[in-house]
PDB file of all heavy atoms in Angstrom:
ATOM      1  N   PRO R 157      26.869 -21.684  49.217  1.00  0.00           N
ATOM      2  CA  PRO R 157      25.995 -21.614  48.032  1.00  0.00           C
ATOM      3  C   PRO R 157      24.784 -22.531  48.131  1.00  0.00           C
ATOM      4  O   PRO R 157      23.692 -22.172  47.705  1.00  0.00           O
ATOM      5  CB  PRO R 157      26.899 -22.067  46.885  1.00  0.00           C
ATOM      6  CG  PRO R 157      28.286 -21.922  47.395  1.00  0.00           C
ATOM      7  CD  PRO R 157      28.247 -22.017  48.880  1.00  0.00           C
ATOM      8  N   VAL R 158      24.963 -23.718  48.714  1.00  0.00           N
ATOM      9  CA  VAL R 158      23.857 -24.667  48.756  1.00  0.00           C
ATOM     10  C   VAL R 158      22.670 -24.086  49.527  1.00  0.00           C
ATOM     11  O   VAL R 158      21.510 -24.254  49.149  1.00  0.00           O
ATOM     12  CB  VAL R 158      24.310 -26.032  49.325  1.00  0.00           C
ATOM     13  CG1 VAL R 158      24.793 -25.892  50.753  1.00  0.00           C
ATOM     14  CG2 VAL R 158      23.184 -27.060  49.247  1.00  0.00           C
ATOM     15  N   PHE R 159      22.963 -23.343  50.587  1.00  0.00           N
ATOM     16  CA  PHE R 159      21.882 -22.725  51.353  1.00  0.00           C
ATOM     17  C   PHE R 159      21.205 -21.610  50.558  1.00  0.00           C
ATOM     18  O   PHE R 159      19.991 -21.465  50.571  1.00  0.00           O
ATOM     19  CB  PHE R 159      22.416 -22.180  52.683  1.00  0.00           C
ATOM     20  CG  PHE R 159      22.354 -23.209  53.761  1.00  0.00           C
ATOM     21  CD1 PHE R 159      23.385 -24.143  53.922  1.00  0.00           C
ATOM     22  CD2 PHE R 159      21.256 -23.288  54.604  1.00  0.00           C
ATOM     23  CE1 PHE R 159      23.322 -25.107  54.892  1.00  0.00           C
ATOM     24  CE2 PHE R 159      21.187 -24.255  55.582  1.00  0.00           C
ATOM     25  CZ  PHE R 159      22.231 -25.176  55.741  1.00  0.00           C
ATOM     26  N   VAL R 160      22.061 -20.842  49.889  1.00  0.00           N
ATOM     27  CA  VAL R 160      21.503 -19.745  49.096  1.00  0.00           C
ATOM     28  C   VAL R 160      20.537 -20.294  48.059  1.00  0.00           C
ATOM     29  O   VAL R 160      19.380 -19.870  47.955  1.00  0.00           O
ATOM     30  CB  VAL R 160      22.634 -18.945  48.410  1.00  0.00           C
ATOM     31  CG1 VAL R 160      22.051 -17.852  47.521  1.00  0.00           C
ATOM     32  CG2 VAL R 160      23.559 -18.368  49.455  1.00  0.00           C
ATOM     33  N   PHE R 161      21.021 -21.283  47.320  1.00  0.00           N
ATOM     34  CA  PHE R 161      20.171 -21.888  46.291  1.00  0.00           C
ATOM     35  C   PHE R 161      18.911 -22.499  46.899  1.00  0.00           C
ATOM     36  O   PHE R 161      17.813 -22.309  46.414  1.00  0.00           O
ATOM     37  CB  PHE R 161      20.948 -22.960  45.512  1.00  0.00           C
ATOM     38  CG  PHE R 161      21.772 -22.379  44.410  1.00  0.00           C
ATOM     39  CD1 PHE R 161      23.154 -22.468  44.426  1.00  0.00           C
ATOM     40  CD2 PHE R 161      21.140 -21.708  43.350  1.00  0.00           C
ATOM     41  CE1 PHE R 161      23.907 -21.916  43.408  1.00  0.00           C
ATOM     42  CE2 PHE R 161      21.892 -21.160  42.333  1.00  0.00           C
ATOM     43  CZ  PHE R 161      23.281 -21.255  42.356  1.00  0.00           C
ATOM     44  N   GLY R 162      19.128 -23.241  47.981  1.00  0.00           N
ATOM     45  CA  GLY R 162      18.000 -23.919  48.638  1.00  0.00           C
ATOM     46  C   GLY R 162      16.933 -22.935  49.057  1.00  0.00           C
ATOM     47  O   GLY R 162      15.742 -23.145  48.799  1.00  0.00           O
ATOM     48  N   TYR R 163      17.369 -21.820  49.655  1.00  0.00           N
ATOM     49  CA  TYR R 163      16.382 -20.852  50.130  1.00  0.00           C
ATOM     50  C   TYR R 163      15.666 -20.173  48.985  1.00  0.00           C
ATOM     51  O   TYR R 163      14.445 -20.018  49.001  1.00  0.00           O
ATOM     52  CB  TYR R 163      17.076 -19.813  51.048  1.00  0.00           C
ATOM     53  CG  TYR R 163      17.047 -20.253  52.500  1.00  0.00           C
ATOM     54  CD1 TYR R 163      17.706 -21.417  52.887  1.00  0.00           C
ATOM     55  CD2 TYR R 163      16.339 -19.540  53.458  1.00  0.00           C
ATOM     56  CE1 TYR R 163      17.669 -21.850  54.195  1.00  0.00           C
ATOM     57  CE2 TYR R 163      16.294 -19.968  54.768  1.00  0.00           C
ATOM     58  CZ  TYR R 163      16.962 -21.121  55.146  1.00  0.00           C
ATOM     59  OH  TYR R 163      16.902 -21.556  56.436  1.00  0.00           O
ATOM     60  N   ILE R 164      16.431 -19.791  47.985  1.00  0.00           N
ATOM     61  CA  ILE R 164      15.783 -19.118  46.843  1.00  0.00           C
ATOM     62  C   ILE R 164      14.784 -20.056  46.169  1.00  0.00           C
ATOM     63  O   ILE R 164      13.652 -19.693  45.859  1.00  0.00           O
ATOM     64  CB  ILE R 164      16.840 -18.628  45.836  1.00  0.00           C
ATOM     65  CG1 ILE R 164      17.676 -17.519  46.476  1.00  0.00           C
ATOM     66  CG2 ILE R 164      16.190 -18.138  44.550  1.00  0.00           C
ATOM     67  CD1 ILE R 164      18.873 -17.100  45.677  1.00  0.00           C
ATOM     68  N   PHE R 165      15.221 -21.297  46.000  1.00  0.00           N
ATOM     69  CA  PHE R 165      14.360 -22.326  45.409  1.00  0.00           C
ATOM     70  C   PHE R 165      13.046 -22.431  46.188  1.00  0.00           C
ATOM     71  O   PHE R 165      11.957 -22.387  45.633  1.00  0.00           O
ATOM     72  CB  PHE R 165      15.139 -23.642  45.450  1.00  0.00           C
ATOM     73  CG  PHE R 165      14.422 -24.809  44.836  1.00  0.00           C
ATOM     74  CD1 PHE R 165      14.330 -24.930  43.452  1.00  0.00           C
ATOM     75  CD2 PHE R 165      13.861 -25.792  45.638  1.00  0.00           C
ATOM     76  CE1 PHE R 165      13.678 -26.007  42.880  1.00  0.00           C
ATOM     77  CE2 PHE R 165      13.204 -26.874  45.073  1.00  0.00           C
ATOM     78  CZ  PHE R 165      13.122 -26.983  43.693  1.00  0.00           C
ATOM     79  N   ALA R 166      13.161 -22.524  47.508  1.00  0.00           N
ATOM     80  CA  ALA R 166      11.966 -22.679  48.341  1.00  0.00           C
ATOM     81  C   ALA R 166      11.052 -21.476  48.213  1.00  0.00           C
ATOM     82  O   ALA R 166       9.828 -21.620  48.147  1.00  0.00           O
ATOM     83  CB  ALA R 166      12.378 -22.882  49.792  1.00  0.00           C
ATOM     84  N   PHE R 167      11.660 -20.284  48.158  1.00  0.00           N
ATOM     85  CA  PHE R 167      10.800 -19.096  48.109  1.00  0.00           C
ATOM     86  C   PHE R 167      10.114 -18.934  46.754  1.00  0.00           C
ATOM     87  O   PHE R 167       9.021 -18.386  46.668  1.00  0.00           O
ATOM     88  CB  PHE R 167      11.586 -17.837  48.483  1.00  0.00           C
ATOM     89  CG  PHE R 167      11.754 -17.723  49.962  1.00  0.00           C
ATOM     90  CD1 PHE R 167      12.989 -17.842  50.563  1.00  0.00           C
ATOM     91  CD2 PHE R 167      10.633 -17.563  50.784  1.00  0.00           C
ATOM     92  CE1 PHE R 167      13.126 -17.779  51.941  1.00  0.00           C
ATOM     93  CE2 PHE R 167      10.765 -17.498  52.143  1.00  0.00           C
ATOM     94  CZ  PHE R 167      12.021 -17.608  52.739  1.00  0.00           C
ATOM     95  N   ILE R 168      10.740 -19.455  45.712  1.00  0.00           N
ATOM     96  CA  ILE R 168      10.038 -19.437  44.421  1.00  0.00           C
ATOM     97  C   ILE R 168       8.750 -20.259  44.540  1.00  0.00           C
ATOM     98  O   ILE R 168       7.678 -19.842  44.125  1.00  0.00           O
ATOM     99  CB  ILE R 168      10.951 -19.995  43.306  1.00  0.00           C
ATOM    100  CG1 ILE R 168      12.070 -18.984  43.030  1.00  0.00           C
ATOM    101  CG2 ILE R 168      10.152 -20.289  42.040  1.00  0.00           C
ATOM    102  CD1 ILE R 168      13.152 -19.490  42.095  1.00  0.00           C
ATOM    103  N   PHE R 169       8.890 -21.419  45.210  1.00  0.00           N
ATOM    104  CA  PHE R 169       7.696 -22.253  45.352  1.00  0.00           C
ATOM    105  C   PHE R 169       6.691 -21.654  46.326  1.00  0.00           C
ATOM    106  O   PHE R 169       5.482 -21.798  46.149  1.00  0.00           O
ATOM    107  CB  PHE R 169       8.081 -23.687  45.743  1.00  0.00           C
ATOM    108  CG  PHE R 169       8.544 -24.456  44.555  1.00  0.00           C
ATOM    109  CD1 PHE R 169       9.883 -24.467  44.183  1.00  0.00           C
ATOM    110  CD2 PHE R 169       7.633 -25.132  43.762  1.00  0.00           C
ATOM    111  CE1 PHE R 169      10.304 -25.134  43.055  1.00  0.00           C
ATOM    112  CE2 PHE R 169       8.045 -25.811  42.626  1.00  0.00           C
ATOM    113  CZ  PHE R 169       9.387 -25.820  42.271  1.00  0.00           C
ATOM    114  N   LEU R 170       7.202 -20.965  47.331  1.00  0.00           N
ATOM    115  CA  LEU R 170       6.274 -20.288  48.242  1.00  0.00           C
ATOM    116  C   LEU R 170       5.497 -19.233  47.455  1.00  0.00           C
ATOM    117  O   LEU R 170       4.291 -19.064  47.635  1.00  0.00           O
ATOM    118  CB  LEU R 170       7.041 -19.616  49.399  1.00  0.00           C
ATOM    119  CG  LEU R 170       6.126 -18.854  50.374  1.00  0.00           C
ATOM    120  CD1 LEU R 170       5.194 -19.808  51.113  1.00  0.00           C
ATOM    121  CD2 LEU R 170       6.944 -18.049  51.378  1.00  0.00           C
ATOM    122  N   SER R 171       6.194 -18.571  46.560  1.00  0.00           N
ATOM    123  CA  SER R 171       5.539 -17.560  45.741  1.00  0.00           C
ATOM    124  C   SER R 171       4.412 -18.178  44.919  1.00  0.00           C
ATOM    125  O   SER R 171       3.308 -17.650  44.861  1.00  0.00           O
ATOM    126  CB  SER R 171       6.570 -16.911  44.809  1.00  0.00           C
ATOM    127  OG  SER R 171       5.925 -16.030  43.929  1.00  0.00           O
ATOM    128  N   PHE R 172       4.694 -19.331  44.315  1.00  0.00           N
ATOM    129  CA  PHE R 172       3.649 -20.018  43.548  1.00  0.00           C
ATOM    130  C   PHE R 172       2.456 -20.350  44.443  1.00  0.00           C
ATOM    131  O   PHE R 172       1.308 -20.189  44.059  1.00  0.00           O
ATOM    132  CB  PHE R 172       4.191 -21.329  42.946  1.00  0.00           C
ATOM    133  CG  PHE R 172       5.269 -21.119  41.917  1.00  0.00           C
ATOM    134  CD1 PHE R 172       6.082 -22.175  41.526  1.00  0.00           C
ATOM    135  CD2 PHE R 172       5.478 -19.863  41.339  1.00  0.00           C
ATOM    136  CE1 PHE R 172       7.070 -21.994  40.567  1.00  0.00           C
ATOM    137  CE2 PHE R 172       6.463 -19.679  40.385  1.00  0.00           C
ATOM    138  CZ  PHE R 172       7.269 -20.744  40.005  1.00  0.00           C
TER     139      PHE R 172
END
Side-chain angles (χ1 to χ4, degrees):
Chain R
V158 62
F159 271 85
V160 177
F161 276 116
Y163 269 63
I164 293 171
F165 182 76
F167 281 113
I168 289 172
F169 281 90
L170 178 65
S171 174
F172 295 164

